[in-house]
Amino acid sequence: MPRADLIVNLVRAGTQGDQRTFRSTVEAIAAEERAKRHTHLADRLEENLRQSAPSGKAAELVRSFDGGHGGLLYEVEPRRGLASMFLDGEIATPVRELVEEQQRADLLRSYGIEPRHRVLLQGPPGNGKTTLAEGIAFELMVPLFVVRYEAVVGSYLGETSGRLKRLFDFARTHQCVLFFDEFDTLGKERGDTHETGEIKRVVSSLLLQIDSLPSHVVVVTATNHAELLDRAVWRRFQLRLTLSPPTTAQRAAWFERFEKAMGQSLGVSPKTLAARLPVQNFSDLEQFCEDVQRRYVLALPSTDLKRILTERLQQWKARAGSTPGDGP
């Protein structure tokens, strides 16, 4: 059964003719019921919202997450929590606070306060922006919905804004993490003289939709090019975090964890590996360890982990020397 505060809000909105509060309350109830796996009830609530759309036209809800079916979103099952990431205090503390606020939202609302739910992540590629969105979804035990730009961005006037509306109409009836990767694709600076009027209308529509999202939808956006974002984008987000490349200490901690996972000594100290391996992001660290594991497994039963590590280090140094910007 829906919470008492939602029922009270629903009755108040109905008696006062407040359509916006009425719809947002029904959306919150539908999201809560779906989280309880009461999908039939949630579907019925959404169906009634579609039929009562003020324009007389039923609001479309996105049902498909499969790219082959033309959905605007696809769903990722969260498998990694925040504990799996190497986050410094400036990132870990506010993210864990956001998770706590979402988990104790009822207490906050009893004092008339909503939990934070809008996050902007910036930083160079490969340093955990997507993984952090997954980690938040994992901690909250909600689905992670990732926006498919190839399905959202249309070539006709008004098409993209319409699809964005359908996307947000779907998200607001779910307790979820809604993830926009490469957010600068949609949130470009409207003052850019090279951009068309259509792009500017899309940005305006996007910001309005983000503003109207209920707090049970945690929207996470990520960009490698923060300088391209519209200035009005920044104030929409309560958390603005920069994910930086791994420090030497974080690299060493990574290899300490890897050594425990392997169940034996690497033959080279984690600090030495951290200093010698020429990588600039966490993604490369992960790939290097997977590379070592593959060679280790293929060499069983007679395998020399130290020799494998030495060979892999030489290969990665050669790769770094032949790729601009990837050197130590």
Side-chain angles (χ1 to χ4, degrees):
M1 181 177 177
R3 296 195 318 270
D5 61 322
L6 291 178
I7 296 175
V8 170
N9 287 343
L10 190 64
V11 173
R12 182 187 301 117
T15 56
Q16 296 178 356
D18 185 346
Q19 286 295 313
R20 181 173 181 178
T21 302
F22 178 83
R23 289 184 64 84
S24 64
T25 304
V26 175
E27 288 163 353
I29 293 174
E32 188 171 279
E33 294 305 309
R34 193 175 296 281
K36 297 175 183 176
R37 301 190 182 277
H38 299 165
T39 54
H40 181 62
L41 175 57
D43 287 345
R44 289 176 61 190
L45 290 169
E46 292 168 6
E47 177 65 26
N48 278 276
L49 276 183
R50 289 200 301 271
Q51 294 176 355
S52 64
S55 63
K57 180 180 178 182
E60 294 183 63
L61 290 176
V62 183
R63 286 298 179 196
S64 170
F65 308 111
D66 186 277
H69 295 87
L72 301 178
L73 304 164
Y74 64 87
E75 182 175 359
V76 175
E77 181 182 352
R79 296 182 180 274
R80 293 185 287 187
L82 297 177
S84 69
M85 301 185 66
F86 290 84
L87 301 172
D88 59 37
E90 293 182 354
I91 303 296
T93 299
V95 169
R96 292 194 180 280
E97 287 175 349
L98 178 138
V99 168
E100 181 188 15
E101 290 171 19
Q102 286 289 325
Q103 291 173 335
R104 306 183 69 188
D106 288 351
L107 175 61
L108 290 176
R109 291 190 182 113
S110 70
Y111 285 85
I113 306 170
E114 290 294 324
R116 288 177 293 181
H117 64 111
R118 297 191 295 269
V119 184
L120 174 62
L121 305 177
Q122 61 174 316
N127 287 305
K129 295 186 291 294
T130 302
T131 305
L132 184 53
E134 180 184 356
I136 292 172
F138 181 90
E139 300 296 335
L140 294 176
M141 295 185 288
V142 298
L144 172 64
F145 295 143
V146 182
V147 177
R148 295 180 58 242
Y149 290 123
E150 70 274 17
V152 170
V153 178
S155 56
Y156 297 103
L157 184 67
E159 193 172 27
T160 302
S161 295
R163 291 175 179 175
L164 278 172
K165 183 182 183 304
R166 297 199 299 273
L167 183 157
F168 281 102
D169 282 346
F170 170 81
R172 65 175 63 250
T173 60
H174 291 70
Q175 290 181 327
C176 63
V177 171
L178 179 63
F179 182 54
F180 289 81
D181 198 5
E182 300 181 6
F183 190 56
D184 46 277
T185 301
L186 292 176
K188 292 182 179 179
E189 170 60 57
R190 284 172 289 184
D192 189 342
T193 56
H194 299 289
E195 294 299 346
T196 64
E198 171 68 358
I199 288 295
K200 295 175 183 178
R201 284 189 289 272
V202 167
V203 174
S204 297
S205 174
L206 176 65
L207 297 181
L208 288 173
Q209 293 289 350
I210 289 176
D211 282 343
S212 66
L213 272 179
S215 60
H216 61 255
V217 178
V218 178
V219 58
V220 180
T221 61
T223 179
N224 302 330
H225 302 285
E227 72 280 0
L228 298 179
L229 292 178
D230 188 271
R231 283 166 289 182
V233 167
W234 293 90
R235 68 179 180 82
R236 258 69 185 192
F237 293 91
Q238 298 138 327
L239 290 184
R240 287 164 277 187
L241 307 174
T242 300
L243 275 68
S244 303
T247 63
T248 301
Q250 287 174 324
R251 293 185 194 184
W254 182 286
F255 285 118
E256 287 173 4
R257 178 182 291 183
F258 179 60
E259 188 171 54
K260 290 180 181 178
M262 294 297 290
Q264 61 178 295
S265 171
L266 299 178
V268 182
S269 75
K271 288 184 178 180
T272 300
L273 277 173
R276 293 176 59 188
L277 182 64
V279 298
Q280 296 298 310
N281 55 62
F282 285 100
S283 179
D284 281 350
L285 276 174
E286 189 171 40
Q287 288 185 40
F288 175 82
C289 291
E290 289 176 351
D291 196 9
V292 170
Q293 284 180 300
R294 289 189 196 97
R295 304 318 309 170
Y296 177 82
V297 170
L298 292 174
L300 289 172
S302 54
T303 183
D304 185 338
L305 186 54
K306 182 177 180 180
R307 178 181 58 80
I308 292 173
L309 275 168
T310 302
E311 291 175 352
R312 295 299 103 183
L313 275 172
Q314 291 174 350
Q315 287 192 13
W316 277 66
K317 285 180 178 179
R319 188 183 82 160
S322 62
T323 305
D326 284 347

